Amino acid sequence: MRTVALGSAALLLAGRAALAQAPIAPTPAAPAPGKLPVFVDVTARSGITWQRSFGDHELSNIVEGTGSGACVFDFDGDGKLDIYFPQGRWEKTVSDNRGRDLIDRLGNALYRNKGNFEFEDVTAKAGVAGRSFAFGCSAADYDNDGHVDLIVLTYRGPELYHNNGDGTFTEVTEKAGLVDPRWALNAAWLDYDRDGYLDLFVSNYLEYDEGKFRSYYAAAGYPGPLSYNGVSCALYHNNGDGTFTDVTKKAGVSNPGGRAMSSVAADLNNDGWMDVYVANDSMENYYYENKGDGTFAERAFELGLALGQNGQGVSSMGPAVADLEGGEYLDILKPDMDYGTLLSKQGQFYEDLIDRSGLALICGQYAGWGAVVQDFDNDGYTDVFIANGNPHHEYPEDAVLARNNGKGVFVDVARESGEFFQKKWSSRGATWADFDDDGNVDLVVLDTSGPPHVLRNQGGTGNNWLKVDAVVKGGKRTAIGARVTIEAGGRRQFQDVIGVNGYLSQGDTRVHFGLGRADKVDLVKVRWPDGSTEEWRDVKPNQVLRLEQGKR
């Protein structure tokens, strides 16, 4: 375990502060510069032998370069978080003929968590190898039967797998009404109408032309997203009987010109209803505000959420939401092909605080993809991890790990945080989980090709923590859309219960709070998805606290 090198850390912080303006939103007390956690890549000893492929031997088009994420969920209900990996495939309309030797050799993978960072491949038994070139995935109990189901997003649309409750899944895409041939990248679960069933927002990317377009700068490797027509995302209403109905137009979220890389569903305006933010590639982004009557209003331009800080349409990747600067609203961090965007509500409108936060300087030299916003050192302030990699070639780049100094300014601490950060990687998706429930948030990072990185957070900071597992009445399903607020050590923190948060991935749906040196949590407040609230007081730290709606 390494401690912070005070000289270099102080210089870094001074540099950030000099570039920053006034602190974004001062909090009662900034964390002391204590120990940093070290991340150790445990993939080689974990039993995970799956390797990611883009279905070919050479990266040559936008389909292959998009990459993939991972999904973390407890598929067998044993209390341990398992991992699902979407895989690329040899695809006739995408791949080169030289890659035909990969036909029928590539598939998605499900690894069961045995404990102690040991996993076993249960793909064949579970029946979830998949059919098509896959990118994103997410999991939720859509039929309220107590078993977490899985959706995989592919070049040929969604694939929905119903959890049978016996360690196996059945594909029900057609039966559920989700057949759609458009290229889908990610899917966010939300109960947008508060009827007690989880609905589905699917992010569709663009219409690839099978490689016909050839007018592009050769050194770039292949044409970019604006060379192809956009497509609309899709919103599916859960009918409560195992089927879904497409309500995209009826709900006001149709936009045929979009090029969605990922989306996130959360309560962005603090009214108790889940909104949707869509990060589009090389064009303006969309913000669909939930009106509470089954429809949404698109308000991105109106609120300052559509473009980057200089008014440009940026190449937004996966939007990640969290309270990054101690405000009253969730902030939105979007990695980009340069410095990225950090949108924070200041008064009635959002401002891009990427410069003031110090993240522009840290991230400006990289092409960012998967962002994870979690408190990695448990000091009570949300930190940032970003997976980076060249967008058109398998050229590796440094990963970013930035510590929140408690004043909304971030300090680059990657070099002090483990061997993984001493090397460069060609990465895309990233997600998070506390696989061993030791209170330290671990990471899973996906490269364009090769093995994944399961990074164990070895902790050692001495700080306390609390993890809240919120479930709806009856205890069968995670309370997606609930808001958990805590008060501890003189500070207030809050998070929404969401798993899909970042690029093509789903993380741990249990909300995690670092507590610093606070030896108790004075208040835990849950606003449930139906709008009702409950409170618990004088909660002990360093535990996974399971809270069921209506059950004290």
Side-chain angles (χ1 to χ4, degrees):
M1 184 62 60
R2 303 180 187 179
T3 58
V4 177
L6 292 178
S8 60
L11 287 172
L12 282 167
L13 181 55
R16 304 295 188 272
L19 288 171
Q21 299 176 19
I24 297 169
T27 46
K35 294 182 178 180
L36 292 172
V38 170
F39 290 84
V40 177
D41 193 330
V42 298
T43 311
R45 71 165 182 82
S46 70
I48 296 175
T49 58
W50 176 89
Q51 296 197 29
R52 206 265 169 184
S53 170
F54 46 79
D56 209 339
H57 298 302
E58 183 178 350
L59 203 65
S60 59
N61 58 64
I62 196 169
V63 180
E64 297 173 349
T66 298
S68 67
C71 178
V72 174
F73 70 120
D74 181 8
F75 85 93
D76 55 357
D78 67 353
K80 293 188 277 294
L81 292 169
D82 313 300
I83 313 176
Y84 186 81
F85 297 107
Q87 179 66 292
R89 307 286 173 98
W90 190 90
E91 167 66 47
K92 182 178 180 180
T93 62
V94 172
S95 309
D96 190 271
N97 282 333
R98 287 172 292 182
R100 291 178 63 87
D101 62 312
L102 297 174
I103 295 176
D104 297 329
R105 291 176 53 191
L106 301 171
N108 309 337
L110 175 62
Y111 279 87
R112 178 179 174 269
N113 187 346
K114 297 164 57 178
N116 195 32
F117 282 91
E118 295 181 3
F119 296 82
E120 63 174 329
D121 188 341
V122 294
T123 311
K125 177 183 177 182
V128 289
R131 294 182 286 103
S132 306
F133 194 132
F135 300 90
C137 50
S138 60
D141 180 7
Y142 72 86
D143 56 354
N144 293 351
D145 67 352
H147 308 298
V148 185
D149 310 297
L150 174 70
I151 189 166
V152 184
L153 293 312
T154 81
Y155 182 67
R156 299 188 179 279
E159 295 177 6
L160 181 64
Y161 295 89
H162 178 261
N163 190 332
N164 300 320
D166 59 0
T168 69
F169 292 78
T170 300
E171 190 189 346
V172 294
T173 311
E174 183 174 0
K175 178 182 177 182
L178 293 178
V179 173
D180 184 343
R182 293 176 295 182
W183 178 8
L185 289 186
N186 105 314
W189 298 93
L190 71 161
D191 184 3
Y192 76 90
D193 55 357
R194 288 184 175 178
D195 66 353
Y197 289 91
L198 291 174
D199 311 299
L200 189 64
F201 187 92
V202 176
S203 298
N204 296 316
Y205 191 20
L206 48 78
E207 292 180 351
Y208 182 61
D209 66 355
E210 304 182 14
K212 296 181 179 64
F213 184 82
R214 293 292 177 182
S215 180
Y216 65 93
Y217 179 49
Y222 51 80
L226 295 182
S227 303
Y228 310 103
N229 293 328
V231 294
S232 178
C233 295
L235 176 64
Y236 295 94
H237 177 260
N238 189 331
N239 300 321
D241 59 1
T243 68
F244 294 81
T245 298
D246 188 338
V247 294
T248 309
K249 292 183 178 179
K250 177 181 178 181
V253 296
S254 175
N255 203 317
R259 296 175 179 84
M261 294 293 279
S262 280
S263 58
V264 62
D267 181 12
L268 294 173
N269 65 344
N270 291 354
D271 67 352
W273 296 82
M274 294 187 77
D275 312 298
V276 178
Y277 186 81
V278 182
N280 288 312
D281 197 359
S282 301
M283 57 176 287
E284 73 274 13
N285 303 301
Y286 304 144
Y287 165 54
Y288 295 111
E289 189 170 88
N290 194 332
K291 296 166 66 176
D293 60 0
T295 66
F296 294 77
E298 205 291 292
R299 302 186 63 199
F301 271 111
E302 177 185 348
L303 296 176
L305 289 167
L307 305 172
Q309 65 175 342
N310 297 315
Q312 78 274 34
V314 294
S315 299
S316 301
M317 305 304 183
V321 299
D323 178 18
L324 289 167
E325 47 79 37
E328 297 297 318
Y329 295 86
L330 291 169
D331 307 305
I332 306 171
L333 176 66
K334 294 177 301 172
D336 191 3
M337 289 175 61
D338 40 53
Y339 48 76
T341 305
L342 174 57
L343 297 168
S344 179
K345 194 167 188 182
Q346 308 288 304
Q348 296 299 311
F349 305 99
Y350 283 81
E351 295 182 22
D352 188 351
L353 304 182
I354 197 72
D355 283 343
R356 289 167 54 181
S357 70
L359 288 172
L361 185 61
I362 297 173
C363 301
Q365 57 192 310
Y366 308 124
W369 298 82
V372 176
V373 283
Q374 292 287 321
D375 186 356
F376 295 114
D377 57 359
N378 287 330
D379 64 354
Y381 298 89
T382 304
D383 309 305
V384 170
F385 171 87
I386 300 177
N388 299 311
N390 185 280
H392 289 260
H393 304 275
E394 288 196 278
Y395 298 159
E397 297 181 353
D398 293 314
V400 163
L401 184 64
R403 180 177 185 260
N404 191 332
N405 76 345
K407 299 180 181 179
V409 177
F410 292 84
V411 181
D412 186 347
V413 296
R415 291 295 179 185
E416 293 130 28
S417 299
E419 184 179 350
F420 172 83
F421 295 97
Q422 315 307 315
K423 301 178 181 179
K424 298 177 186 291
W425 310 96
S426 176
S427 299
R428 293 297 187 264
T431 193
W432 75 96
D434 184 357
F435 287 110
D436 54 357
D437 287 338
D438 65 351
N440 301 307
V441 178
D442 311 303
L443 289 166
V444 180
V445 184
L446 282 300
D447 292 341
T448 47
S449 61
H453 305 278
V454 179
L455 303 177
R456 182 182 184 183
N457 181 344
Q458 300 209 130
T461 64
N463 291 323
N464 296 319
W465 55 275
L466 179 72
K467 202 180 304 292
V468 177
D469 184 9
V471 296
V472 296
K473 192 175 297 183
K476 286 188 174 183
R477 177 173 64 78
T478 298
I480 300 293
R483 171 160 294 183
V484 181
T485 302
I486 70 164
E487 294 178 4
R491 293 190 60 243
R492 170 185 170 274
Q493 301 181 55
F494 72 96
Q495 293 184 42
D496 281 8
V497 178
I498 54 174
V500 181
N501 197 21
Y503 186 64
L504 310 184
S505 299
Q506 171 162 314
D508 194 342
T509 54
R510 304 171 301 174
V511 293
H512 179 91
F513 297 99
L515 304 176
R517 300 298 178 179
D519 58 4
K520 73 170 182 176
V521 180
D522 301 308
L523 172 69
V524 177
K525 179 179 179 180
V526 180
R527 187 195 65 203
W528 298 103
D530 63 6
S532 64
T533 62
E534 290 182 278
E535 296 183 357
W536 292 259
R537 295 186 180 274
D538 298 327
V539 174
K540 294 180 180 180
N542 304 326
Q543 64 166 317
V544 179
L545 180 66
R546 182 178 173 88
L547 299 179
E548 181 181 332
Q549 183 181 7
K551 186 176 181 180
R552 301 295 297 182

